[in-house]
Amino acid sequence: MNQLYEMLGRTYKLEFDTFIGGHSSIPYEKNLIVAHRKNIENLVVDEKTKASIFGIETYSSVYEGEEGKSKIVFSLDRI
């Protein structure tokens, strides 16, 4: 999660207005990167979001603010 947080910080410093993420072809506003970083800063491990994806136990953390809505799916061994 630290690597993702740092990469998002470096990416935000680049000059662009929109980006396309890895799981969608929808263009997102640059400020969504701020929402993703805030989500990581306040990451919530909520048992209610526990799921199994390809046999890996995952959780979802959601942050919603003026920057946009961020949803991060993660496994506990990757935080």
Side-chain angles (χ1 to χ4, degrees):
M1 206 53 73
N2 288 337
Q3 289 176 338
L4 175 59
Y5 185 84
E6 295 301 322
M7 182 274 302
L8 290 170
R10 290 189 306 273
T11 302
Y12 189 79
K13 292 176 184 176
L14 300 173
E15 291 188 33
F16 63 94
D17 296 320
T18 60
F19 68 95
I20 296 178
H23 302 288
S24 174
S25 59
I26 299 169
Y28 296 101
E29 296 295 317
K30 181 179 184 177
N31 216 28
L32 184 60
I33 291 174
V34 176
H36 287 320
R37 286 177 51 103
K38 286 186 178 183
N39 193 353
I40 293 169
E41 290 168 2
N42 301 289
L43 199 68
V44 174
V45 178
D46 184 349
E47 287 292 321
K48 292 184 280 187
T49 68
K50 189 175 179 179
S52 179
I53 300 176
F54 303 116
I56 299 169
E57 188 175 279
T58 64
Y59 296 84
S60 298
S61 180
V62 177
Y63 167 87
E64 191 164 3
E66 60 187 40
E67 309 86 357
K69 182 176 182 178
S70 165
K71 180 178 180 182
I72 296 176
V73 177
F74 61 95
S75 62
L76 293 179
D77 65 332
R78 296 290 185 132
I79 4 184

